[in-house]
């Protein structure tokens, strides 16, 4: 081995050693969250996981979702930046760790409410890559539930399958605002078939939600939008379903459909949508 290659090798070894020290000394930077005002007394917290809605009342705060376990302190700090009221209720949109992961730390001080299926999915470990120590809601509902606090109402509905088999949409009637959970998230849908999701039912579920009287939409991930934005998202889900169904009926293989999804929808090989959504779509859209 030449002297230069030995030098290169030691430089590489040093680099990995320093990277390893940096990793072990500082495993994760504290989560950076931002809080934005949506309406009077309604805020949303973005960053690291799903969007959290914050409704302030004179008798306590209602949250929609609580991100990951690691975000607990940062969420509380953001809530404290707008009110001194304690968090009393958390309405959960679904069982995924980036929306329900904070339950474990909140459960001793707040009532957590989810669909019956979202609770079941946590208990049955339906999310293969979920963080350890997930805590399910202790109050559940099947069709509809309301929380009345401080003269305000927050209503959760289950309209059917979509992203999972337990997605709640959370409605603030007085503020004409809807939190969709991951029924609207990102640019193309993640259909969690292992968690009971369905691309066929997804649009029907959103059509039922569209019948509510609202103007503002807080999606599961991404910027706050409006009813027209949700309609566009719904139409894009329908378009994806039609395109993939067409390919399957032309006799295209799973690999060929995967290539189409990478080219047109930027689904990367081995990504979560490829793992969770593609095999299920091949079966459901046959
Ligand atoms: Zn999700």
């Amino acid at each position: 081995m030449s002297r230069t290659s030995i030098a290169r090798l030691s430089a590489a070894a040093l680099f990995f050693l320093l990277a390893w020290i940096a990793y072990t000394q500082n495993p994760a930077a504290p989560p950076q969250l931002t809080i934005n005002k949506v309406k009077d007394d309604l805020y949303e917290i973005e960053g690291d996981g799903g969007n959290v809605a914050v409704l302030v009342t004179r008798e306590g705060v209602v949250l929609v979702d609580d991100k990951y376990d690691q975000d607990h302190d940062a969420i509380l700090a953001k809530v404290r930046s707008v009110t001194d009221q304690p968090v009393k209720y958390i309405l959960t949109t679904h069982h995924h760790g980036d929306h329900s992961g904070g339950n474990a730390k909140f459960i001793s001080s707040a009532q957590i409410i989810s669909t019956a299926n979202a609770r079941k999915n946590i208990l049955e470990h339906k999310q293969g890559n979920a963080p350890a120590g997930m805590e399910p809601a202790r109050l559940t509902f099947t069709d509809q539930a309301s929380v009345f606090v401080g003269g305000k109402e927050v209503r959760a509905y289950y309209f059917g399958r979509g992203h999972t088999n337990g997605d709640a949409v959370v409605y603030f009637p007085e503020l004409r605002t809807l939190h969709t959970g991951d029924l609207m998230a990102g640019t193309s849908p993640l259909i969690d078939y292992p968690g009971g999701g369905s691309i066929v039912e997804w649009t029907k579920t959103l059509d039922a939600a569209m019948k509510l009287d609202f103007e503002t939409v807080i999606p599961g991930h991404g910027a706050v939008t409006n009813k027209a934005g949700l309609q566009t998202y719904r139409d894009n889900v329908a378009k994806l379903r039609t395109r993939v169904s067409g390919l399957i009926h032309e006799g295209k293989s799973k690999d060929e459909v995967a290539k189409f999804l990478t080219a047109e929808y930027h689904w990367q090989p081995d990504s979560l949508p490829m793992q969770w959504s593609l095999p299920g779509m091949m079966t459901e859209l046959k």
Side-chain angles (χ1 to χ4, degrees):
M1 195 179 274
S2 76
R3 190 167 281 192
T4 45
S5 51
I6 289 171
R8 261 191 223 127
L9 206 63
S10 351
L14 185 67
F15 173 79
F16 284 113
L17 180 69
L18 290 176
W20 176 249
I21 289 168
Y23 175 77
T24 49
Q25 297 300 307
N26 182 16
Q32 294 298 309
L33 306 183
T34 56
I35 186 162
N36 308 306
K37 186 168 183 165
V38 178
K39 296 273 173 79
D40 278 344
D41 298 329
L42 182 66
Y43 303 81
E44 58 108 34
I45 303 174
E46 289 190 15
D48 199 40
N51 292 335
V52 170
V54 180
L55 180 74
V56 177
T57 84
R58 61 174 189 267
E59 290 177 321
V61 170
V62 183
L63 299 185
V64 179
D65 287 348
D66 52 25
K67 297 183 181 286
Y68 292 105
D69 184 67
Q70 71 208 25
D71 297 308
H72 176 264
D73 293 354
I75 291 172
L76 281 185
K78 290 298 173 196
V79 169
R80 272 191 220 106
S81 73
V82 296
T83 179
D84 292 331
Q85 291 288 338
V87 174
K88 285 214 175 147
Y89 297 93
I90 300 173
L91 292 160
T92 297
T93 61
H94 64 295
H95 70 284
H96 287 155
D98 53 338
H99 298 260
S100 296
N103 289 4
K105 285 202 178 103
F106 275 110
I107 206 149
S108 56
S109 56
Q111 283 291 357
I112 302 179
I113 303 156
S114 78
T115 62
N117 279 347
R119 175 180 162 85
K120 199 162 172 268
N121 290 340
I122 289 178
L123 292 174
E124 294 179 357
H125 304 287
K126 286 287 169 66
Q127 186 188 355
N129 64 347
M134 294 275 298
E135 190 71 46
R138 290 186 182 163
L139 291 176
T140 66
F141 66 95
T142 47
D143 298 321
Q144 191 180 322
S146 283
V147 170
F148 298 92
V149 60
K152 291 172 181 170
E153 180 186 4
V154 188
R155 211 180 295 157
Y157 291 95
Y158 177 67
F159 287 130
R161 295 160 64 207
H163 176 61
T164 71
N165 65 355
D167 305 302
V169 298
V170 182
Y171 180 47
F172 302 90
E174 292 95 344
L175 301 174
R176 299 183 64 230
T177 298
L178 194 67
H179 190 307
T180 63
D182 283 356
L183 286 167
M184 178 177 187
T187 48
S188 76
L190 172 63
I191 312 114
D192 177 4
Y193 283 96
S198 162
I199 195 170
V200 172
E201 300 301 318
W202 193 311
T203 49
K204 297 177 198 167
T205 298
L206 283 183
D207 288 342
M210 288 296 288
K211 292 198 179 105
L212 296 169
D213 176 26
F214 64 93
E215 57 182 7
T216 304
V217 174
I218 303 173
H221 300 263
V224 172
T225 180
N226 56 21
K227 197 167 193 173
L230 182 58
Q231 181 67 42
T232 301
Y233 193 88
R234 176 248 176 250
D235 293 344
N236 285 336
V237 175
K239 192 171 149 197
L240 172 67
R241 181 182 65 215
T242 306
R243 303 273 319 257
V244 171
S245 166
L247 292 173
I248 293 170
H249 289 120
E250 281 168 27
K252 295 279 191 276
S253 69
K254 190 174 136 196
D255 286 351
E256 287 168 315
V257 175
K259 283 200 183 97
F260 161 81
L261 291 168
T262 304
E264 300 275 322
Y265 287 87
H266 312 292
W267 289 19
Q268 298 309 315
D270 300 323
S271 62
L272 223 44
M274 285 297 192
Q275 292 171 42
W276 288 4
S277 307
L278 177 58
M281 279 200 292
M282 295 302 295
T283 307
E284 192 182 26
L285 300 177
K286 206 154 52 185

